[in-house]
Amino acid sequence: MAPDTVLRPPQRLTRARGAQQAAWLEELPRLAARMLDRWELTPERVAEPGGRTSMTVLVRCADGERAALKLCAPGAPGAAVEAAALRRWNGRGAVRCLREDAEAGALLLERLHGETSLRSLPESRAMLEALETAHRLWVPPGEQHPFPSVAELTAPQAERIRRVGVTAGNGLYAPLAEEALRLREELLAPGAGAERALLHGDFRQGAVLAADAERAPWLAVGPEPVVGERAYDLARLARDRLHDLVASPGAAAITRRRVAQLAESVDADAERVRAWSLFRAVESGLRHLAAGQRAEAEMLLEFAAWL
């Protein structure tokens, strides 16, 4: 096997990585080859287009079982934390972890149908399936868990919003940035949003894949585990299929109605879902703006303005 060609990182990953990841990307084919050898795996192909913080190689185990070798980039949520969440769920609503090597950033996962996500379904059906999957994931995090809280996770995000949206001279977006910061303070005030569930963290239709497993037809992948209230997970789901939403007549009204329906479907506070949806959209929009991805940034910030 020639790892530099057979196990070449997909373009989406190479475009998304910054200069600090150059050494990891250069070493990635050889790291994959070492893990294949160590775990006695036969590679089939690298999954395309893949993610922006990991590479997945579709493999067969020594006993013939189909699996997926995931190699996580440094600076990503981390293989150890992801594996801990997958163990906690133990196949309930999520892919199972078969083996892990946290030091190498490697996870061996059960194989799902990576080419078929909930985005392949009509919008209304996809949302119903997504919510059913999310319900399975929202469990207590357990004692002495390794997962960050929503407050801890969003603290550096809030600082970036302040830096990029308020102090960097982006006057057009300053009101949205200030509103996002104000809402976060209210959402995390003592006594507010006291719910403590294990959340997926990046829950969206594209992160729920078709499965052969008898336990569920759809299973979640790629968690960025965090502990907090369900409204935080719903906030990412609220802006799913954003390109289609932006192109729809009456997009603002559709957005507000979607947020209300998501909240009602799980008996969550609609105002908290709205607030987290705005914060997360502003954070993502300003992050794209800082990276020079202006079209994507403007779309996310427009979504936030509708809220």
Side-chain angles (χ1 to χ4, degrees), residues 4-296:
D4 289 321
T5 55
V6 176
L7 302 175
R8 181 177 296 146
Q11 288 188 2
R12 176 185 284 183
L13 179 60
T14 56
R15 286 197 302 265
R17 297 293 85 208
Q20 71 274 21
Q21 302 294 355
W24 177 76
L25 274 173
E26 184 177 352
E27 178 62 19
L28 188 53
R30 289 173 287 280
L31 170 61
R34 288 196 298 273
M35 295 309 303
L36 291 170
D37 183 63
R38 184 184 307 170
W39 287 346
E40 299 181 359
L41 306 171
T42 301
E44 295 181 353
R45 60 183 175 85
V46 172
E48 294 275 5
R52 292 181 172 84
T53 59
S54 64
M55 182 175 82
T56 299
V57 185
L58 305 182
V59 301
R60 288 208 178 253
C61 303
D63 62 2
E65 180 182 5
R66 298 190 313 158
L69 173 64
K70 179 177 181 179
L71 300 167
C72 303
V81 175
E82 180 172 343
L86 296 179
R87 285 195 302 271
R88 183 66 178 166
W89 289 318
N90 192 28
R92 178 181 168 86
V95 66
R96 279 198 170 103
C97 182
L98 307 177
R99 300 185 72 168
E100 65 175 285
D101 183 334
E103 186 174 349
L107 301 173
L108 186 64
L109 307 172
E110 69 175 315
R111 178 95 68 93
L112 304 181
H113 296 287
E115 70 284 357
T116 306
S117 74
L118 285 181
R119 289 178 62 85
S120 66
L121 300 180
E123 170 69 14
S124 58
R125 171 80 185 283
M127 280 297 189
L128 287 174
E129 294 286 357
L131 289 167
E132 187 172 331
T133 302
H135 268 293
R136 296 190 181 98
L137 301 178
W138 293 331
V139 298
E143 296 295 330
Q144 298 182 331
H145 63 77
F147 314 117
S149 68
V150 166
E152 292 167 336
L153 181 72
T154 59
Q157 296 175 354
E159 185 53 40
R160 181 165 53 243
I161 289 174
R162 185 174 290 106
R163 184 176 67 252
V164 177
V166 179
T167 63
N170 292 306
L172 180 63
Y173 305 119
L176 266 179
E178 291 168 351
E179 176 68 358
L181 294 172
R182 182 188 70 79
L183 288 173
R184 177 182 177 273
E185 288 188 8
E186 291 182 358
L187 288 162
L188 298 176
E195 181 183 15
R196 284 175 52 82
L198 174 57
L199 310 176
H200 182 281
D202 190 28
F203 190 75
R204 62 198 191 285
Q205 294 175 23
V208 184
L209 304 183
D212 290 327
E214 293 181 2
R215 64 185 182 273
W218 302 95
L219 295 170
V221 298
E224 298 179 4
V226 62
V227 173
E229 60 176 319
R230 294 167 298 161
Y232 182 84
D233 253 0
L234 291 177
R236 177 60 185 84
L237 187 62
R239 69 171 194 260
D240 228 319
R241 307 195 195 200
L242 185 54
H243 288 82
D244 294 341
L245 186 60
V246 168
S248 301
I254 293 172
T255 296
R256 291 189 287 269
R257 186 162 59 248
R258 178 189 284 184
V259 167
Q261 290 171 343
L262 286 173
E264 182 180 9
S265 67
V266 300
D267 197 25
D269 186 313
E271 174 56 25
R272 297 186 70 82
V273 176
R274 182 198 72 83
W276 276 124
S277 297
L278 188 150
F279 175 86
R280 295 194 68 175
V282 170
E283 187 278 325
S284 186
L286 292 177
R287 179 160 33 88
H288 280 83
L289 188 67
Q293 299 163 343
R294 193 168 193 89
E296 190 74 17

